[in-house]
């Protein structure tokens, strides 16, 4: 099966670079780091050998990994940290966290061919690999395992949909998973799915919890970096991590509510921030009566606005703090939803659509405790936003339930760290 996998990977390799070129039309950062994707690195920042390797595909995984990385930097000062990512946004976020730390280097993960992976491992010589969530790359895991590198699939999650996909090639999936040293599942559901796929051929699989709860718990103690004084006396709805089709829904709801709540503001943060400019231009052209702006202009002028489209990274936490109600996107389309843990930690009233399978455990727990309201369509979304805007006690009750849920489920970072220590001692 590996030979078939490699054949098709080699066959489609040119199309992968074509895909990067196409993506570069909207984000020029996709043009950078191509050699790294072939396992070629020109680094002078640190002596990268004797390293701990963390792979976090994009922004969400980088945020999750940061809790583990921060602790590893304290516990293992003699080791360097290598963070691999697959997207420019993930690279930006990792650099935002660690660009001033000479122990940490951030690079792109090579494409999953033996030659590229071997080059990477020969350069960095990691003592351990901590792979976040669902990054099960066959050659990466096999080559690392053959080099006797212990591999932890940390904060591991597997949706019902992904499990069905992997089950179609169950024998090959089990063979790939056998290269892992440990799977630290987020929940019992995830553990059952990994056990089902492994066919008793995989390593130890344990429920260690979700380390994103620990990151979220940490942000509750962080100071606000930007004070949005112009929003202080206004009601604020935030639509976070939205996808095409969802912005139209939330903007229609906003236009319907504006006559009823004259001081209402909508903050719209698309999952891919480069889309904000076209959304802003469309809204300005079609609805000139609504004062729309890009965040980059708003932050300079501090002028009043009705709708703010977020076109910068690294500003979400303070915008959550400034919000009264948060809609978490990726949930009104069949995309599985985005992670609601951060607004929950900041005690916000949260709404999500019906597609929540990527974070089924997280959302189920928040719904159960009263920290999240599920909505099935735009009418329910509008009705529940009205109820929340009209009732500050209702918003506060939801926020209190949400933060209590986050705190009760924290502690996964420590559990993962104990296994990292064990594997490093065995080295």
């Amino acid at each position: 099966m590996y030979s078939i996998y490699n054949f098709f990977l080699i066959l489609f390799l040119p199309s992968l670079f074509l895909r990067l070129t196409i993506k570069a039309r909207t984000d020029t950062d996709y043009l950078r780091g191509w050699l790294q994707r072939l396992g070629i690195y020109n680094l002078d920042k640190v002596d990268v050998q004797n390293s701990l390797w963390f792979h976090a595909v994009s922004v969400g995984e980088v945020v999750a990994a940061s809790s583990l990385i921060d602790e590893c930097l304290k516990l293992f000062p003699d080791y360097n940290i290598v963070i691999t990512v697959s997207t420019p946004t993930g690279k930006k976020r990792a650099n935002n966290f660690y660009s001033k730390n000479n122990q940490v280097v951030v690079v792109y993960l090579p494409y999953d061919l033996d030659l590229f992976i071997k080059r990477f491992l020969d350069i960095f010589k990691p003592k351990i690999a901590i792979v976040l969530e669902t990054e099960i790359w066959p050659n990466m895991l096999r080559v690392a395992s053959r080099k006797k590198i212990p591999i932890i699939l940390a904060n591991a999650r597997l949706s019902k949909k992904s499990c069905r996909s992997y089950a179609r090639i169950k024998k090959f999936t089990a063979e790939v998973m056998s290269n892992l040293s440990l799977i630290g599942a987020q929940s019992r559901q995830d553990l059952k799915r990994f056990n089902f796929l492994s066919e008793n051929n995989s390593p130890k699989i344990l429920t260690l919890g979700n380390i994103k709860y620990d990151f979220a718990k940490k942000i509750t103690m962080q100071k606000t970096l930007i004070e949005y004084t112009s929003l202080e006396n206004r009601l604020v709805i935030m639509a976070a991590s939205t996808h095409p089709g969802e912005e139209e829904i939330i903007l229609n709801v906003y236009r319907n509510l504006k006559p009823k709540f004259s001081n209402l503001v909508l903050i719209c943060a698309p999952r891919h921030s480069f889309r904000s400019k076209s959304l802003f231009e469309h809204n300005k052209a079609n609805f000139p009566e609504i004062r729309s702006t890009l965040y980059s202009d708003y932050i300079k002028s501090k002028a009043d606005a009705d709708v703010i489209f977020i076109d910068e990274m690294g500003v979400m936490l303070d915008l959550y703090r400034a919000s009264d109600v948060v809609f978490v996107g990726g949930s009104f389309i069949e995309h599985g939803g985005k992670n609601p843990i951060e607004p929950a930690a900041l005690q916000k009233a949260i709404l999500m659509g019906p597609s929540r399978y990527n974070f089924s455990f997280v959302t189920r727990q928040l719904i159960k405790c009263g920290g999240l309201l599920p909505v099935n369509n735009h009418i329910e979304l509008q009705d529940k936003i009205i109820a929340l805007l009209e009732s500050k006690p209702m918003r506060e009750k939801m926020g209190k339930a949400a933060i209590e849920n986050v705190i009760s489920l924290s502690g996964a970072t420590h559990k993962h760290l104990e296994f990292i220590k064990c594997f490093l001692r065995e080295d």
Side-chain angles (χ1 to χ4, degrees):
M1 193 68 179
Y2 272 98
S3 58
I4 297 172
Y5 171 75
N6 286 323
F7 171 78
F8 281 105
L9 194 56
I10 292 168
L11 185 67
F12 288 107
L13 189 60
S15 67
L16 295 177
F17 284 102
L18 178 62
R19 183 170 175 265
L20 293 179
T21 305
I22 294 169
K23 283 180 172 286
R25 293 177 183 174
T26 51
D27 186 351
T28 56
D29 285 340
Y30 276 97
L31 293 174
R32 301 181 178 93
W34 280 25
L35 288 179
Q36 293 184 3
R37 297 181 188 274
L38 301 176
I40 301 170
Y41 300 89
N42 182 20
L43 301 171
D44 55 10
K45 181 181 176 183
V46 291
D47 175 10
V48 290
Q49 295 190 9
N50 196 39
S51 63
L52 310 181
W53 169 27
F54 288 82
H55 176 58
V57 60
S58 195
V59 174
E61 292 78 12
V62 168
V63 169
S66 67
S67 296
L68 273 175
I69 293 168
D70 291 346
E71 292 302 316
C72 285
L73 286 167
K74 295 175 194 173
L75 290 171
F76 312 114
D78 295 332
Y79 288 93
N80 293 304
I81 303 287
V82 176
I83 304 172
T84 56
V85 296
S86 298
T87 67
T89 51
K91 199 165 191 283
K92 281 180 188 174
R93 181 55 63 92
N95 280 322
N96 285 346
F97 282 147
Y98 300 111
S99 61
K100 295 179 181 178
N101 192 316
N102 289 329
Q103 273 183 267
V104 181
V105 63
V106 182
V107 296
Y108 284 115
L109 180 75
Y111 287 131
D112 195 41
L113 284 170
D114 280 17
L115 174 63
F116 304 158
I117 298 297
K118 284 174 182 174
R119 278 181 189 160
F120 168 82
L121 295 176
D122 287 343
I123 291 169
F124 294 100
K125 294 184 169 59
K127 300 296 182 185
I128 190 170
I130 299 101
V131 180
L132 271 291
E133 300 199 357
T134 52
E135 287 292 283
I136 305 172
W137 291 104
N139 287 322
M140 179 184 81
L141 298 183
R142 183 172 68 163
V143 174
S145 179
R146 284 177 174 175
K147 286 182 175 288
K148 307 299 182 186
I149 299 168
I151 310 163
I152 298 175
L153 189 62
N155 217 44
R157 65 182 173 92
L158 195 65
S159 69
K160 190 184 294 184
K161 183 178 179 181
S162 294
C163 187
R164 282 198 298 265
S165 298
Y166 281 117
R168 294 184 188 127
I169 47 169
K170 192 176 180 184
K171 188 174 180 181
F172 181 54
T173 299
E175 185 180 357
V176 171
M177 288 172 59
S178 69
N179 294 302
L180 293 163
S181 309
L182 172 72
I183 297 175
Q186 290 186 17
S187 69
R188 289 181 183 176
Q189 269 191 335
D190 296 306
L191 180 141
K192 287 177 182 177
R193 289 171 188 149
F194 280 113
N195 269 324
F196 166 73
L197 291 175
S198 70
E199 294 186 333
N200 299 316
N201 194 31
S202 80
K204 187 181 290 185
I205 306 175
L206 300 171
T207 304
L208 299 183
N210 189 336
I211 59 179
K212 287 183 180 176
Y213 286 114
D214 297 307
F215 174 81
K217 187 178 175 183
K218 185 168 63 176
I219 67 175
T220 63
M221 298 176 278
Q222 292 176 354
K223 292 181 180 178
T224 302
L225 297 177
I226 303 173
E227 296 285 354
Y228 296 102
T229 52
S230 64
L231 300 178
E232 284 179 357
N233 297 313
R234 303 187 69 176
L235 287 169
V236 180
I237 303 169
M238 183 167 178
S241 298
T242 54
H243 287 253
E246 293 183 314
E247 291 92 4
E248 288 82 352
I249 293 172
I250 196 72
L251 284 164
N252 281 333
V253 168
Y254 175 79
R255 287 191 291 271
N256 292 339
L257 297 185
K258 183 65 174 172
K260 184 177 178 67
F261 303 95
S262 59
N263 66 339
L264 188 62
V265 177
L266 171 64
I267 297 172
C268 186
R271 173 68 180 86
H272 298 105
S273 58
F274 67 80
R275 295 182 52 245
S276 285
K277 188 175 180 181
S278 61
L279 287 167
F280 160 65
E281 290 171 349
H282 178 269
N283 202 58
K284 187 177 180 182
N286 290 278
F287 306 98
E289 72 280 6
I290 294 176
R291 296 172 298 173
S292 301
T293 186
L294 290 170
Y295 176 84
S296 54
D297 294 328
Y298 167 77
I299 204 68
K300 292 173 191 171
S301 66
K302 302 291 185 182
D304 277 347
D306 295 321
V307 179
I308 304 169
F309 293 97
I310 308 306
D311 59 344
E312 293 185 7
M313 287 188 63
V315 299
M316 293 289 283
L317 291 181
D318 287 335
L319 289 169
Y320 281 139
R321 288 187 175 98
S323 302
D324 296 291
V325 176
V326 175
F327 167 75
V328 178
S331 59
F332 262 139
I333 57 172
E334 193 56 25
H335 202 81
K338 297 301 176 183
N339 196 337
I341 292 178
E342 287 182 10
L346 295 171
Q347 303 184 53
K348 300 302 167 182
I350 306 166
L351 298 150
M352 286 186 76
S355 182
R356 301 182 295 270
Y357 59 78
N358 281 332
F359 299 95
S360 58
F361 176 81
V362 173
T363 55
R364 198 166 59 250
Q365 295 301 309
L366 281 169
I367 291 169
K368 186 177 178 181
C369 76
L372 187 154
L373 291 176
V375 292
N376 293 310
N377 52 55
H378 68 282
I379 296 171
E380 286 187 18
L381 177 66
Q382 182 169 307
D383 289 346
K384 289 190 178 179
I385 288 178
I386 290 172
L388 288 166
L389 293 178
E390 288 180 334
S391 176
K392 186 176 180 181
M394 184 179 178
R395 299 197 302 268
E396 290 176 342
K397 183 179 179 181
M398 285 185 66
K400 185 174 184 289
I403 181 61
E404 287 175 354
N405 179 254
V406 168
I407 291 170
S408 71
L409 292 167
S410 61
T413 299
H414 175 74
K415 293 174 185 175
H416 281 82
L417 278 171
E418 290 304 309
F419 284 100
I420 292 173
K421 288 179 191 175
C422 288
F423 286 121
L424 289 176
R425 278 197 297 267
E426 292 171 6
D427 182 55

